[in-house]
Amino acid sequence: MEIFLDTADVAEIRRAAQASLIDGVTTNPSLMAKVAGDGDPRDLFVEICEVVKGPVSAEVVAIDTDGMVAEGRRLAELHPHIVVKVPLTEDGLKACRTLRNAEIDVNVTLCFSVAQALLAAKAGATYISPFVGRLDDIGHDGMELVAEIREVYDEYGIETRILAASLRHPRHVKEAMLLGADCATLPPAVLYKLMQHPLTDSGLQRFLDDWKKLDKEL
Ligand code: G3P
């Protein structure tokens, strides 16, 4: 499963990329607004693309097809790593088809049902982003959606990649892996929690304590 970092914070992206922990980045308008400040958001996208050697999702903010296509084309011209992110609306799906016909990769976002995921695939989506945590927030089982999409895509031989999104904790990530999501996008805090285990820490301490008794250098 590929791991993407769900942030527009370049320092966080650099830290994870330098450790080879991530395969790409996803952003959304809320994440961009947190860090873009007075700068040009397009410069920020380019900076992110130069740090990470993989796909970088950049979301349109127009809500009509023509506007999304125009923004998507401009975003795609910024850097070869850009994947244009469009919302799962009728206009968004039409924009997806047009952009895919122009060989631009598209991530269809804000997916909350398996039927939506099928329609995104028909529109040629490169990635579909089911929002797990936001379904959990309203009392649904968000991970069940990932399982349903996997089943339907496999049943019909659909190649759209399942990008599990809105993941809030390590258990979400584990479940996404076990269900066969192609990719998962994680906030930085969740990424670093994945590598922590108390038995790793206590085991390391015991090794170091025992080594001290030898009083030797390596
Ligand atoms: O990738 C989508 C993600 O940014 C949404 O996460 O936590 O705002 O639901 P969240």
Short mmCIF file of all heavy atoms in Angstrom, two decimals, residues 4-8 25-32 45 55-65 67-76 81-89 91-93 95-96 99-100 104-111 125-131 134 163-166 184-186:
data_model
loop_
_atom_site.label_atom_id
_atom_site.label_comp_id
_atom_site.label_asym_id
_atom_site.label_seq_id
_atom_site.Cartn_x
_atom_site.Cartn_y
_atom_site.Cartn_z
N PHE A 4 0.67 8.24 1.44
CA PHE A 4 0.75 9.66 1.09
C PHE A 4 0.65 10.46 2.38
O PHE A 4 -0.01 10.03 3.35
CB PHE A 4 -0.39 10.06 0.16
CG PHE A 4 -0.37 9.37 -1.19
CD1 PHE A 4 -1.51 9.30 -1.96
CD2 PHE A 4 0.79 8.81 -1.70
CE1 PHE A 4 -1.50 8.68 -3.21
CE2 PHE A 4 0.82 8.20 -2.94
CZ PHE A 4 -0.34 8.12 -3.71
N LEU A 5 1.28 11.62 2.39
CA LEU A 5 1.15 12.51 3.55
C LEU A 5 0.06 13.53 3.23
O LEU A 5 0.06 14.15 2.17
CB LEU A 5 2.49 13.21 3.82
CG LEU A 5 2.71 13.68 5.25
CD1 LEU A 5 2.66 12.52 6.24
CD2 LEU A 5 4.03 14.42 5.39
N ASP A 6 -0.87 13.68 4.18
CA ASP A 6 -2.04 14.54 3.97
C ASP A 6 -1.78 15.90 4.62
O ASP A 6 -2.23 16.17 5.74
CB ASP A 6 -3.26 13.85 4.59
CG ASP A 6 -4.58 14.44 4.12
OD1 ASP A 6 -4.62 14.99 3.01
OD2 ASP A 6 -5.58 14.31 4.86
N THR A 7 -1.03 16.72 3.94
CA THR A 7 -0.65 18.02 4.49
C THR A 7 -0.09 18.89 3.38
O THR A 7 0.36 18.37 2.35
CB THR A 7 0.42 17.87 5.60
OG1 THR A 7 0.69 19.14 6.18
CG2 THR A 7 1.73 17.30 5.06
N ALA A 8 -0.08 20.22 3.63
CA ALA A 8 0.62 21.13 2.71
C ALA A 8 1.82 21.75 3.41
O ALA A 8 2.42 22.69 2.89
CB ALA A 8 -0.35 22.21 2.23
N VAL A 25 1.84 13.00 -1.82
CA VAL A 25 1.21 13.96 -0.90
C VAL A 25 -0.21 14.22 -1.39
O VAL A 25 -0.47 14.22 -2.59
CB VAL A 25 2.02 15.28 -0.89
CG1 VAL A 25 1.23 16.43 -0.29
CG2 VAL A 25 3.34 15.09 -0.12
N THR A 26 -1.11 14.42 -0.43
CA THR A 26 -2.44 14.93 -0.79
C THR A 26 -2.66 16.25 -0.06
O THR A 26 -2.20 16.41 1.07
CB THR A 26 -3.57 13.95 -0.43
OG1 THR A 26 -3.49 13.63 0.97
CG2 THR A 26 -3.51 12.68 -1.25
N THR A 27 -3.33 17.17 -0.75
CA THR A 27 -3.71 18.42 -0.09
C THR A 27 -5.19 18.63 -0.36
O THR A 27 -5.80 17.92 -1.17
CB THR A 27 -2.92 19.62 -0.68
OG1 THR A 27 -3.31 19.80 -2.05
CG2 THR A 27 -1.42 19.41 -0.60
N ASN A 28 -5.75 19.58 0.34
CA ASN A 28 -7.11 20.03 0.01
C ASN A 28 -7.14 21.53 0.34
O ASN A 28 -6.18 22.06 0.92
CB ASN A 28 -8.17 19.21 0.76
CG ASN A 28 -8.05 19.29 2.27
OD1 ASN A 28 -7.78 20.37 2.81
ND2 ASN A 28 -8.26 18.19 2.97
N PRO A 29 -8.19 22.24 -0.05
CA PRO A 29 -8.20 23.69 0.18
C PRO A 29 -8.03 24.07 1.65
O PRO A 29 -7.39 25.08 1.96
CB PRO A 29 -9.56 24.13 -0.38
CG PRO A 29 -9.85 23.10 -1.44
CD PRO A 29 -9.34 21.81 -0.88
N SER A 30 -8.55 23.26 2.57
CA SER A 30 -8.41 23.58 4.00
C SER A 30 -6.94 23.45 4.42
O SER A 30 -6.42 24.31 5.15
CB SER A 30 -9.26 22.63 4.86
OG SER A 30 -10.58 22.64 4.44
N LEU A 31 -6.28 22.40 3.97
CA LEU A 31 -4.87 22.21 4.33
C LEU A 31 -4.00 23.30 3.70
O LEU A 31 -3.05 23.79 4.33
CB LEU A 31 -4.38 20.82 3.86
CG LEU A 31 -5.03 19.62 4.56
CD1 LEU A 31 -4.65 18.32 3.85
CD2 LEU A 31 -4.63 19.57 6.03
N MET A 32 -4.33 23.70 2.47
CA MET A 32 -3.57 24.78 1.82
C MET A 32 -3.76 26.09 2.58
O MET A 32 -2.81 26.84 2.80
CB MET A 32 -4.03 24.95 0.37
CG MET A 32 -3.63 23.81 -0.55
SD MET A 32 -1.84 23.69 -0.80
CE MET A 32 -1.53 25.12 -1.84
N PHE A 45 2.45 24.54 -4.34
CA PHE A 45 2.31 23.23 -5.00
C PHE A 45 3.62 22.81 -5.66
O PHE A 45 4.04 21.65 -5.56
CB PHE A 45 1.19 23.27 -6.05
CG PHE A 45 -0.20 23.23 -5.50
CD1 PHE A 45 -1.17 24.12 -5.95
CD2 PHE A 45 -0.57 22.31 -4.52
CE1 PHE A 45 -2.46 24.09 -5.45
CE2 PHE A 45 -1.86 22.28 -4.01
CZ PHE A 45 -2.82 23.18 -4.49
N PRO A 55 3.19 11.40 -6.69
CA PRO A 55 2.01 12.21 -6.98
C PRO A 55 1.65 13.19 -5.87
O PRO A 55 1.77 12.87 -4.69
CB PRO A 55 0.89 11.17 -7.16
CG PRO A 55 1.42 9.89 -6.68
CD PRO A 55 2.91 9.96 -6.65
N VAL A 56 1.23 14.38 -6.28
CA VAL A 56 0.81 15.43 -5.33
C VAL A 56 -0.59 15.89 -5.74
O VAL A 56 -0.75 16.48 -6.81
CB VAL A 56 1.79 16.62 -5.37
CG1 VAL A 56 1.27 17.78 -4.53
CG2 VAL A 56 3.18 16.19 -4.89
N SER A 57 -1.57 15.59 -4.92
CA SER A 57 -2.94 15.98 -5.25
C SER A 57 -3.17 17.46 -4.95
O SER A 57 -2.93 17.91 -3.83
CB SER A 57 -3.95 15.15 -4.46
OG SER A 57 -3.98 13.83 -4.92
N ALA A 58 -3.65 18.18 -5.96
CA ALA A 58 -3.93 19.62 -5.83
C ALA A 58 -5.39 19.82 -6.23
O ALA A 58 -5.78 19.47 -7.36
CB ALA A 58 -3.00 20.41 -6.75
N GLU A 59 -6.16 20.39 -5.32
CA GLU A 59 -7.62 20.41 -5.53
C GLU A 59 -8.10 21.70 -6.19
O GLU A 59 -7.64 22.80 -5.85
CB GLU A 59 -8.31 20.23 -4.17
CG GLU A 59 -9.81 20.03 -4.27
CD GLU A 59 -10.41 19.36 -3.05
OE1 GLU A 59 -9.65 18.79 -2.24
OE2 GLU A 59 -11.64 19.41 -2.90
N VAL A 60 -9.05 21.54 -7.11
CA VAL A 60 -9.68 22.71 -7.73
C VAL A 60 -10.64 23.34 -6.73
O VAL A 60 -11.09 22.68 -5.79
CB VAL A 60 -10.45 22.31 -9.02
CG1 VAL A 60 -9.51 21.70 -10.05
CG2 VAL A 60 -11.60 21.36 -8.70
N VAL A 61 -10.97 24.63 -6.96
CA VAL A 61 -11.95 25.28 -6.10
C VAL A 61 -13.17 25.78 -6.87
O VAL A 61 -14.14 26.25 -6.28
CB VAL A 61 -11.33 26.41 -5.25
CG1 VAL A 61 -10.46 25.84 -4.15
CG2 VAL A 61 -10.55 27.39 -6.10
N ALA A 62 -13.12 25.70 -8.21
CA ALA A 62 -14.32 26.02 -8.99
C ALA A 62 -15.35 24.92 -8.72
O ALA A 62 -14.99 23.80 -8.35
CB ALA A 62 -13.96 26.05 -10.48
N ILE A 63 -16.64 25.24 -8.93
CA ILE A 63 -17.64 24.19 -8.71
C ILE A 63 -18.39 23.84 -10.01
O ILE A 63 -19.22 22.95 -10.01
CB ILE A 63 -18.63 24.55 -7.58
CG1 ILE A 63 -19.29 25.90 -7.84
CG2 ILE A 63 -17.94 24.52 -6.23
CD1 ILE A 63 -20.46 26.16 -6.89
N ASP A 64 -18.07 24.53 -11.11
CA ASP A 64 -18.68 24.18 -12.39
C ASP A 64 -17.63 23.47 -13.26
O ASP A 64 -16.42 23.66 -13.08
CB ASP A 64 -19.17 25.44 -13.12
CG ASP A 64 -18.00 26.36 -13.45
OD1 ASP A 64 -17.34 26.87 -12.51
OD2 ASP A 64 -17.70 26.53 -14.66
N THR A 65 -18.12 22.65 -14.18
CA THR A 65 -17.21 21.81 -14.97
C THR A 65 -16.14 22.62 -15.70
O THR A 65 -14.94 22.31 -15.60
CB THR A 65 -18.00 20.98 -16.02
OG1 THR A 65 -18.97 20.20 -15.32
CG2 THR A 65 -17.10 20.07 -16.81
N GLY A 67 -14.97 25.59 -15.15
CA GLY A 67 -14.03 26.19 -14.21
C GLY A 67 -13.06 25.15 -13.66
O GLY A 67 -11.85 25.39 -13.54
N MET A 68 -13.59 23.97 -13.32
CA MET A 68 -12.71 22.90 -12.80
C MET A 68 -11.71 22.46 -13.84
O MET A 68 -10.54 22.23 -13.53
CB MET A 68 -13.55 21.68 -12.37
CG MET A 68 -14.38 21.88 -11.13
SD MET A 68 -15.10 20.28 -10.68
CE MET A 68 -16.65 20.80 -10.03
N VAL A 69 -12.17 22.34 -15.08
CA VAL A 69 -11.26 21.89 -16.15
C VAL A 69 -10.16 22.93 -16.36
O VAL A 69 -8.97 22.59 -16.47
CB VAL A 69 -12.03 21.61 -17.45
CG1 VAL A 69 -11.08 21.39 -18.62
CG2 VAL A 69 -12.94 20.38 -17.28
N ALA A 70 -10.56 24.20 -16.36
CA ALA A 70 -9.56 25.26 -16.58
C ALA A 70 -8.54 25.26 -15.43
O ALA A 70 -7.32 25.31 -15.67
CB ALA A 70 -10.25 26.62 -16.70
N GLU A 71 -9.04 25.19 -14.19
CA GLU A 71 -8.12 25.17 -13.04
C GLU A 71 -7.26 23.91 -13.08
O GLU A 71 -6.06 23.95 -12.82
CB GLU A 71 -8.90 25.20 -11.73
CG GLU A 71 -9.53 26.55 -11.42
CD GLU A 71 -10.31 26.56 -10.11
OE1 GLU A 71 -10.39 25.50 -9.44
OE2 GLU A 71 -10.85 27.61 -9.75
N GLY A 72 -7.89 22.79 -13.42
CA GLY A 72 -7.17 21.51 -13.46
C GLY A 72 -6.04 21.55 -14.47
O GLY A 72 -4.93 21.07 -14.21
N ARG A 73 -6.31 22.11 -15.65
CA ARG A 73 -5.27 22.20 -16.68
C ARG A 73 -4.11 23.07 -16.20
O ARG A 73 -2.94 22.75 -16.40
CB ARG A 73 -5.83 22.78 -17.98
CG ARG A 73 -6.71 21.82 -18.76
CD ARG A 73 -7.13 22.48 -20.08
NE ARG A 73 -8.13 21.69 -20.78
CZ ARG A 73 -7.85 20.63 -21.54
NH1 ARG A 73 -6.61 20.25 -21.70
NH2 ARG A 73 -8.82 19.96 -22.15
N ARG A 74 -4.47 24.19 -15.54
CA ARG A 74 -3.40 25.08 -15.06
C ARG A 74 -2.58 24.40 -13.97
O ARG A 74 -1.35 24.48 -13.94
CB ARG A 74 -3.99 26.40 -14.54
CG ARG A 74 -4.50 27.32 -15.63
CD ARG A 74 -4.67 28.75 -15.14
NE ARG A 74 -5.73 28.89 -14.16
CZ ARG A 74 -7.02 29.10 -14.46
NH1 ARG A 74 -7.39 29.19 -15.70
NH2 ARG A 74 -7.93 29.21 -13.49
N LEU A 75 -3.28 23.68 -13.08
CA LEU A 75 -2.55 22.97 -12.01
C LEU A 75 -1.63 21.92 -12.61
O LEU A 75 -0.47 21.78 -12.21
CB LEU A 75 -3.54 22.31 -11.03
CG LEU A 75 -4.29 23.26 -10.10
CD1 LEU A 75 -5.44 22.53 -9.38
CD2 LEU A 75 -3.34 23.86 -9.07
N ALA A 76 -2.14 21.17 -13.59
CA ALA A 76 -1.35 20.08 -14.18
C ALA A 76 -0.10 20.61 -14.88
O ALA A 76 0.91 19.91 -14.98
CB ALA A 76 -2.21 19.28 -15.15
N HIS A 81 4.23 16.02 -11.37
CA HIS A 81 3.72 15.22 -10.24
C HIS A 81 2.26 15.53 -9.88
O HIS A 81 1.65 14.80 -9.12
CB HIS A 81 4.56 15.46 -8.97
CG HIS A 81 5.94 14.90 -9.05
ND1 HIS A 81 6.93 15.21 -8.15
CD2 HIS A 81 6.50 14.04 -9.92
CE1 HIS A 81 8.04 14.58 -8.46
NE2 HIS A 81 7.81 13.87 -9.54
N ILE A 82 1.74 16.62 -10.42
CA ILE A 82 0.39 17.05 -9.98
C ILE A 82 -0.70 16.07 -10.42
O ILE A 82 -0.76 15.64 -11.58
CB ILE A 82 0.05 18.45 -10.54
CG1 ILE A 82 0.94 19.52 -9.89
CG2 ILE A 82 -1.43 18.78 -10.37
CD1 ILE A 82 0.56 19.95 -8.50
N VAL A 83 -1.55 15.72 -9.46
CA VAL A 83 -2.79 14.99 -9.71
C VAL A 83 -3.91 15.97 -9.37
O VAL A 83 -3.91 16.53 -8.27
CB VAL A 83 -2.90 13.75 -8.80
CG1 VAL A 83 -4.26 13.09 -8.94
CG2 VAL A 83 -1.78 12.75 -9.10
N VAL A 84 -4.80 16.20 -10.30
CA VAL A 84 -5.86 17.19 -10.06
C VAL A 84 -6.98 16.54 -9.25
O VAL A 84 -7.46 15.45 -9.57
CB VAL A 84 -6.41 17.73 -11.40
CG1 VAL A 84 -7.58 18.68 -11.15
CG2 VAL A 84 -5.30 18.43 -12.18
N LYS A 85 -7.35 17.23 -8.17
CA LYS A 85 -8.38 16.68 -7.28
C LYS A 85 -9.70 17.41 -7.55
O LYS A 85 -9.74 18.65 -7.54
CB LYS A 85 -7.93 16.92 -5.84
CG LYS A 85 -8.40 15.91 -4.82
CD LYS A 85 -7.63 16.15 -3.52
CE LYS A 85 -8.20 15.34 -2.39
NZ LYS A 85 -7.58 15.70 -1.11
N VAL A 86 -10.74 16.65 -7.83
CA VAL A 86 -12.06 17.26 -8.08
C VAL A 86 -13.08 16.62 -7.15
O VAL A 86 -12.97 15.45 -6.79
CB VAL A 86 -12.52 17.08 -9.55
CG1 VAL A 86 -11.51 17.68 -10.52
CG2 VAL A 86 -12.79 15.62 -9.88
N PRO A 87 -14.12 17.38 -6.75
CA PRO A 87 -15.13 16.82 -5.86
C PRO A 87 -16.08 15.87 -6.59
O PRO A 87 -16.29 16.02 -7.81
CB PRO A 87 -15.88 18.06 -5.36
CG PRO A 87 -15.73 19.06 -6.46
CD PRO A 87 -14.38 18.79 -7.08
N LEU A 88 -16.66 14.96 -5.82
CA LEU A 88 -17.56 13.97 -6.43
C LEU A 88 -18.97 14.56 -6.60
O LEU A 88 -19.89 14.26 -5.83
CB LEU A 88 -17.59 12.69 -5.61
CG LEU A 88 -17.89 11.45 -6.45
CD1 LEU A 88 -17.38 10.19 -5.82
CD2 LEU A 88 -19.33 11.33 -6.87
N THR A 89 -19.07 15.43 -7.60
CA THR A 89 -20.36 16.03 -7.98
C THR A 89 -20.54 15.74 -9.46
O THR A 89 -19.60 15.28 -10.14
CB THR A 89 -20.32 17.55 -7.78
OG1 THR A 89 -19.25 18.08 -8.60
CG2 THR A 89 -20.07 17.92 -6.32
N ASP A 91 -20.75 17.91 -11.85
CA ASP A 91 -19.76 18.74 -12.56
C ASP A 91 -18.35 18.18 -12.39
O ASP A 91 -17.53 18.19 -13.33
CB ASP A 91 -19.81 20.19 -12.05
CG ASP A 91 -20.97 20.95 -12.67
OD1 ASP A 91 -22.10 20.80 -12.16
OD2 ASP A 91 -20.75 21.66 -13.66
N GLY A 92 -18.07 17.70 -11.19
CA GLY A 92 -16.74 17.15 -10.92
C GLY A 92 -16.46 15.92 -11.77
O GLY A 92 -15.35 15.75 -12.30
N LEU A 93 -17.47 15.06 -11.94
CA LEU A 93 -17.26 13.85 -12.75
C LEU A 93 -17.09 14.20 -14.22
O LEU A 93 -16.28 13.58 -14.93
CB LEU A 93 -18.42 12.87 -12.55
CG LEU A 93 -18.53 12.27 -11.13
CD1 LEU A 93 -19.68 11.28 -11.06
CD2 LEU A 93 -17.23 11.60 -10.70
N ALA A 95 -15.79 17.00 -15.29
CA ALA A 95 -14.43 17.55 -15.36
C ALA A 95 -13.40 16.43 -15.34
O ALA A 95 -12.40 16.47 -16.06
CB ALA A 95 -14.20 18.52 -14.20
N CYS A 96 -13.66 15.42 -14.52
CA CYS A 96 -12.75 14.27 -14.43
C CYS A 96 -12.58 13.63 -15.80
O CYS A 96 -11.46 13.39 -16.26
CB CYS A 96 -13.31 13.26 -13.42
SG CYS A 96 -12.33 11.76 -13.29
N LEU A 99 -10.53 15.91 -18.12
CA LEU A 99 -9.10 15.96 -17.75
C LEU A 99 -8.42 14.63 -18.06
O LEU A 99 -7.28 14.59 -18.54
CB LEU A 99 -8.96 16.31 -16.26
CG LEU A 99 -9.39 17.74 -15.89
CD1 LEU A 99 -9.56 17.89 -14.38
CD2 LEU A 99 -8.36 18.76 -16.41
N ARG A 100 -9.12 13.52 -17.82
CA ARG A 100 -8.52 12.21 -18.12
C ARG A 100 -8.32 12.04 -19.63
O ARG A 100 -7.34 11.44 -20.06
CB ARG A 100 -9.39 11.07 -17.55
CG ARG A 100 -9.44 11.03 -16.05
CD ARG A 100 -8.07 10.71 -15.42
NE ARG A 100 -7.66 9.35 -15.73
CZ ARG A 100 -6.49 9.01 -16.27
NH1 ARG A 100 -5.59 9.94 -16.57
NH2 ARG A 100 -6.21 7.75 -16.51
N ILE A 104 -4.51 13.78 -18.00
CA ILE A 104 -4.16 14.38 -16.70
C ILE A 104 -4.72 13.46 -15.62
O ILE A 104 -5.89 13.05 -15.68
CB ILE A 104 -4.77 15.80 -16.59
CG1 ILE A 104 -4.08 16.73 -17.60
CG2 ILE A 104 -4.68 16.34 -15.17
CD1 ILE A 104 -4.74 18.09 -17.77
N ASP A 105 -3.89 13.10 -14.63
CA ASP A 105 -4.36 12.24 -13.55
C ASP A 105 -5.33 13.00 -12.65
O ASP A 105 -5.14 14.19 -12.37
CB ASP A 105 -3.17 11.73 -12.71
CG ASP A 105 -2.45 10.59 -13.41
OD1 ASP A 105 -3.11 9.80 -14.11
OD2 ASP A 105 -1.22 10.48 -13.25
N VAL A 106 -6.36 12.27 -12.19
CA VAL A 106 -7.42 12.90 -11.38
C VAL A 106 -7.70 12.06 -10.14
O VAL A 106 -7.82 10.83 -10.21
CB VAL A 106 -8.73 13.07 -12.21
CG1 VAL A 106 -9.83 13.67 -11.34
CG2 VAL A 106 -8.49 13.94 -13.44
N ASN A 107 -7.81 12.76 -9.02
CA ASN A 107 -8.22 12.16 -7.74
C ASN A 107 -9.62 12.69 -7.45
O ASN A 107 -9.80 13.89 -7.27
CB ASN A 107 -7.22 12.59 -6.66
CG ASN A 107 -7.60 12.13 -5.27
OD1 ASN A 107 -8.63 11.51 -5.06
ND2 ASN A 107 -6.74 12.44 -4.29
N VAL A 108 -10.61 11.79 -7.45
CA VAL A 108 -11.98 12.23 -7.15
C VAL A 108 -12.19 12.11 -5.64
O VAL A 108 -12.05 11.03 -5.06
CB VAL A 108 -13.03 11.42 -7.94
CG1 VAL A 108 -14.44 11.84 -7.53
CG2 VAL A 108 -12.84 11.63 -9.44
N THR A 109 -12.50 13.25 -5.03
CA THR A 109 -12.50 13.34 -3.57
C THR A 109 -13.92 13.50 -3.02
O THR A 109 -14.88 13.67 -3.78
CB THR A 109 -11.59 14.51 -3.14
OG1 THR A 109 -11.43 14.47 -1.73
CG2 THR A 109 -12.15 15.87 -3.54
N LEU A 110 -14.01 13.41 -1.68
CA LEU A 110 -15.30 13.53 -0.99
C LEU A 110 -16.24 12.40 -1.41
O LEU A 110 -17.42 12.63 -1.72
CB LEU A 110 -15.93 14.90 -1.23
CG LEU A 110 -15.18 16.08 -0.59
CD1 LEU A 110 -15.68 17.42 -1.14
CD2 LEU A 110 -15.33 16.06 0.93
N CYS A 111 -15.72 11.19 -1.40
CA CYS A 111 -16.53 10.01 -1.73
C CYS A 111 -17.08 9.40 -0.44
O CYS A 111 -16.31 9.06 0.47
CB CYS A 111 -15.68 8.98 -2.48
SG CYS A 111 -16.54 7.42 -2.75
N ALA A 125 -11.58 8.13 -13.21
CA ALA A 125 -10.73 8.60 -12.10
C ALA A 125 -9.48 7.75 -11.96
O ALA A 125 -9.53 6.52 -12.04
CB ALA A 125 -11.52 8.56 -10.79
N THR A 126 -8.37 8.40 -11.72
CA THR A 126 -7.12 7.68 -11.43
C THR A 126 -7.17 7.18 -9.99
O THR A 126 -6.76 6.05 -9.70
CB THR A 126 -5.91 8.63 -11.58
OG1 THR A 126 -6.06 9.42 -12.75
CG2 THR A 126 -4.61 7.84 -11.65
N TYR A 127 -7.66 8.03 -9.09
CA TYR A 127 -7.81 7.69 -7.67
C TYR A 127 -9.23 8.02 -7.23
O TYR A 127 -9.81 9.01 -7.69
CB TYR A 127 -6.87 8.53 -6.79
CG TYR A 127 -5.40 8.37 -7.06
CD1 TYR A 127 -4.74 9.21 -7.96
CD2 TYR A 127 -4.65 7.38 -6.41
CE1 TYR A 127 -3.38 9.08 -8.20
CE2 TYR A 127 -3.29 7.25 -6.65
CZ TYR A 127 -2.66 8.09 -7.55
OH TYR A 127 -1.31 7.97 -7.79
N ILE A 128 -9.74 7.24 -6.28
CA ILE A 128 -10.98 7.58 -5.59
C ILE A 128 -10.64 7.72 -4.11
O ILE A 128 -9.94 6.88 -3.55
CB ILE A 128 -12.10 6.52 -5.81
CG1 ILE A 128 -13.39 6.94 -5.12
CG2 ILE A 128 -11.69 5.14 -5.30
CD1 ILE A 128 -14.09 8.09 -5.79
N SER A 129 -11.13 8.81 -3.50
CA SER A 129 -10.81 9.06 -2.09
C SER A 129 -12.03 8.91 -1.19
O SER A 129 -12.79 9.88 -0.99
CB SER A 129 -10.25 10.47 -1.92
OG SER A 129 -8.97 10.57 -2.50
N PRO A 130 -12.26 7.71 -0.63
CA PRO A 130 -13.31 7.56 0.38
C PRO A 130 -12.85 8.19 1.70
O PRO A 130 -11.72 7.94 2.14
CB PRO A 130 -13.46 6.04 0.52
CG PRO A 130 -12.19 5.45 0.00
CD PRO A 130 -11.58 6.43 -0.94
N PHE A 131 -13.71 9.01 2.31
CA PHE A 131 -13.37 9.75 3.54
C PHE A 131 -13.83 8.94 4.75
O PHE A 131 -14.98 9.08 5.20
CB PHE A 131 -14.03 11.12 3.52
CG PHE A 131 -13.21 12.20 2.86
CD1 PHE A 131 -12.36 11.92 1.81
CD2 PHE A 131 -13.30 13.51 3.30
CE1 PHE A 131 -11.60 12.92 1.20
CE2 PHE A 131 -12.56 14.53 2.71
CZ PHE A 131 -11.70 14.23 1.66
N ARG A 134 -14.65 10.93 8.30
CA ARG A 134 -15.85 11.78 8.30
C ARG A 134 -17.12 10.94 8.33
O ARG A 134 -18.16 11.38 8.83
CB ARG A 134 -15.84 12.73 7.11
CG ARG A 134 -14.74 13.75 7.26
CD ARG A 134 -14.88 14.94 6.36
NE ARG A 134 -13.63 15.68 6.36
CZ ARG A 134 -13.42 16.79 5.67
NH1 ARG A 134 -14.37 17.29 4.92
NH2 ARG A 134 -12.25 17.39 5.73
N LEU A 163 -7.81 5.28 -2.61
CA LEU A 163 -6.94 6.10 -1.76
C LEU A 163 -7.71 6.39 -0.47
O LEU A 163 -8.53 7.31 -0.43
CB LEU A 163 -6.60 7.40 -2.52
CG LEU A 163 -5.41 8.23 -2.10
CD1 LEU A 163 -5.24 9.41 -3.06
CD2 LEU A 163 -5.45 8.72 -0.69
N ALA A 164 -7.49 5.57 0.54
CA ALA A 164 -8.23 5.76 1.80
C ALA A 164 -7.83 7.09 2.42
O ALA A 164 -6.64 7.35 2.64
CB ALA A 164 -7.93 4.60 2.75
N ALA A 165 -8.82 7.94 2.70
CA ALA A 165 -8.54 9.30 3.17
C ALA A 165 -9.34 9.59 4.44
O ALA A 165 -10.18 8.78 4.85
CB ALA A 165 -8.91 10.30 2.08
N SER A 166 -9.02 10.74 5.03
CA SER A 166 -9.63 11.12 6.31
C SER A 166 -9.36 10.02 7.34
O SER A 166 -10.26 9.60 8.05
CB SER A 166 -11.14 11.38 6.11
OG SER A 166 -11.75 11.82 7.26
N ALA A 184 -3.05 5.04 1.13
CA ALA A 184 -3.70 5.69 2.28
C ALA A 184 -3.02 7.02 2.48
O ALA A 184 -1.80 7.13 2.35
CB ALA A 184 -3.53 4.83 3.53
N THR A 185 -3.80 8.04 2.79
CA THR A 185 -3.19 9.33 3.06
C THR A 185 -3.38 9.67 4.54
O THR A 185 -4.46 9.54 5.09
CB THR A 185 -3.74 10.44 2.12
OG1 THR A 185 -2.94 11.61 2.33
CG2 THR A 185 -5.20 10.76 2.31
N LEU A 186 -2.27 10.06 5.18
CA LEU A 186 -2.26 10.21 6.63
C LEU A 186 -1.75 11.58 7.03
O LEU A 186 -0.76 12.07 6.46
CB LEU A 186 -1.30 9.22 7.31
CG LEU A 186 -1.00 7.88 6.68
CD1 LEU A 186 0.01 7.16 7.54
CD2 LEU A 186 -2.25 7.08 6.59
#
